[in-house]
Amino acid sequence: MSQESLLNELNDRSREVFRRVVEAYLDTGEPVGSRTLTRALSEKVSAATIRNVMQDLEFMGLLDSPHVSAGRLPSQLGLRLFVDGMMEIDAVKPDDRAAIDQTLGNDDPDTGVLLDRVSTALSSITRGASLVLMPKHEAPIRHIEFVSLGSDRALVVLVFADGHVENRIFTPPPGQTPSSMREAGNFLNAMAEGKTLAELRGHLSQQIRTRRQELDILAAELVESGLALWGAEAADPRLIVRGRANLLDSELADLDRIRVLFDDLERKRDIVEFLELAEKGDGVRIFIGSENKLFSLSGSALVVSPYMNADRKIVGAVGVIGPTRLNYGRIVPIVDYTAQLVGRVLSGRKG
């Protein structure tokens, strides 16, 4: 049944009981009982009547009944229905707005330093863990080089036309020699000039297929493995995570789940997927529990929004992760405001 159909199934009393249960849960994290609701409802009804309504809501899949309590909690479906159809979004509080503005007020030339400050402020304001995905470097490539660091370690160095330099240590395919590394570098440099990394990567697979006979097998393997460091599988340090300690103070399930979440955040896995969550549409997106594939095992919630450059192209994202009982009404506008502000500041530089 669609969310619209579920909402249409609720009469005024059911809708108010459901809303009160969700709001109380988001406020306290505790199951809500019928006696508590009798004092809160605008309509004076008995506890028995409220219990019947709550049972109906549970049958519809909107509420859950914990084994240790007679009270009810919203289910994941219930939280989704509330967030999409019934939640009231607050305005960003002046103090929160000022704290975010202050992080971007300093004209620091280093985008990484600026976004680190944004991430720290976001975690402090929301009391969750903040995530900021930095923009990729999009300048044309000037030079690529592979350097051996031993039998099982190598360095790939990228020099961009604007002087920016990036390097990654990786495990090369077995049997690499200095000559195969030179050949791989020469092959890439011959086609890299004037191309961005994304353009080069799109061009590479076809070139390797058509020119494999010209390229030593070892060098071909090195090209593929070296450039993969900047692909979707990369353990790319573009993701800034701050405020993990805040999760220890939250009601985020249990310590085992927190350990899983910490492990994901520490390894910074699936960074590109994090961006893809935001790329599917402008504005804030909310992922609750198992909807959040990036951190689904920890039973958490993710509020994320993209930010754009001067050309209105999505280049990064900001987000907050925490327990499913996040104060969505407050955090959604904070994340939205932060993403828009970051986009404006970065667009005012060189886009």
Side-chain angles (χ1 to χ4, degrees):
M1 187 181 293
S2 69
Q3 287 189 14
E4 185 177 355
S5 299
L6 280 172
L7 276 174
N8 291 336
E9 288 282 315
L10 302 180
N11 58 30
D12 290 344
R13 180 183 295 168
S14 298
R15 191 182 293 253
E16 185 177 7
V17 168
F18 173 66
R19 180 173 59 81
R20 296 281 186 180
V21 170
V22 176
E23 289 176 345
Y25 166 72
L26 294 179
D27 185 48
T28 67
E30 299 294 330
V32 183
S34 56
R35 292 191 182 279
T36 301
L37 291 177
T38 58
R39 297 189 292 271
L41 291 182
S42 56
E43 179 187 10
K44 296 303 177 185
V45 294
S46 68
T49 298
I50 293 177
R51 280 196 295 273
N52 289 334
V53 173
M54 293 169 81
Q55 287 174 356
D56 290 342
L57 291 169
E58 187 175 354
F59 179 76
M60 295 172 70
L62 299 178
L63 299 182
D64 284 334
S65 179
H67 297 300
V68 295
S69 170
R72 301 297 199 281
L73 299 172
S75 64
Q76 180 175 307
L77 174 62
L79 279 175
R80 170 52 60 191
L81 182 70
F82 175 81
V83 164
D84 287 349
M86 302 175 69
M87 180 176 68
E88 295 181 3
I89 300 293
D90 301 329
V92 181
K93 294 180 179 179
D95 289 350
D96 295 337
R97 185 186 295 264
I100 298 167
D101 289 348
Q102 187 176 7
T103 65
L104 296 171
N106 301 321
D107 191 21
D108 196 304
D110 189 325
T111 298
V113 172
L114 182 146
L115 293 180
D116 188 276
R117 287 203 307 268
V118 170
S119 190
T120 299
L122 201 54
S123 69
S124 176
I125 292 167
T126 62
R127 304 306 301 164
S130 66
L131 305 100
V132 175
L133 188 65
M134 295 173 59
K136 293 178 182 178
H137 202 79
E138 296 292 350
I141 298 167
R142 178 186 296 163
H143 183 73
I144 299 174
E145 185 172 353
F146 294 97
V147 181
S148 176
L149 301 177
S151 60
D152 60 350
R153 295 172 76 229
L155 184 73
V156 56
V157 181
L158 267 74
V159 180
F160 294 85
D162 62 359
H164 180 78
V165 178
E166 291 187 13
N167 55 71
R168 300 281 190 278
I169 294 175
F170 70 105
T171 301
Q176 292 298 323
T177 65
S179 63
S180 67
M181 289 196 171
R182 282 194 301 274
E183 186 177 358
N186 292 338
F187 176 80
L188 287 169
N189 286 314
M191 68 178 71
E193 187 175 358
K195 293 185 178 67
T196 65
L197 190 59
E199 291 168 344
L200 176 60
R201 193 183 301 117
H203 188 58
L204 260 182
S205 57
Q206 177 64 30
Q207 287 295 311
I208 290 176
R209 282 197 300 271
T210 59
R211 298 173 60 181
R212 184 173 289 276
Q213 289 183 341
E214 303 173 32
L215 190 62
D216 181 87
I217 293 175
L218 285 177
E221 291 175 349
L222 187 61
V223 167
E224 292 171 334
S225 63
L227 264 293
L229 288 172
W230 282 271
E233 302 81 14
D236 192 323
R238 292 171 54 221
L239 187 63
I240 302 170
V241 181
R242 294 291 179 266
R244 278 172 288 213
N246 291 335
L247 301 176
L248 293 171
D249 298 327
S250 72
E251 295 79 7
L252 184 58
D254 52 39
L255 285 178
D256 286 339
R257 287 193 167 191
I258 291 177
R259 288 191 191 100
V260 170
L261 178 58
F262 273 28
D263 182 55
D264 284 342
L265 293 175
E266 190 63 39
R267 296 190 196 182
K268 301 177 180 178
R269 293 187 294 202
D270 301 324
I271 290 174
V272 172
E273 184 174 349
F274 173 62
L275 179 58
E276 288 172 350
L277 295 179
E279 280 184 328
K280 294 176 181 177
D282 292 350
V284 179
R285 303 198 72 208
I286 301 170
F287 299 86
I288 301 170
S290 61
E291 298 173 351
N292 173 10
K293 295 178 181 178
L294 192 57
F295 305 114
S296 60
L297 295 179
S298 61
S300 54
L302 173 67
V303 180
V304 60
S305 180
Y307 60 85
M308 301 181 183
N309 61 13
D311 299 323
R312 303 295 296 165
K313 177 184 176 184
I314 292 173
V315 293
V318 301
V320 171
I321 189 168
T324 54
R325 57 164 296 253
L326 281 174
N327 185 344
Y328 298 99
R330 175 173 176 262
I331 290 176
V332 165
I334 289 174
V335 169
D336 184 41
Y337 178 74
T338 304
Q340 292 187 42
L341 191 60
V342 167
R344 286 200 299 272
V345 169
L346 296 186
S347 296
R349 294 178 168 198
K350 46 185 179 180

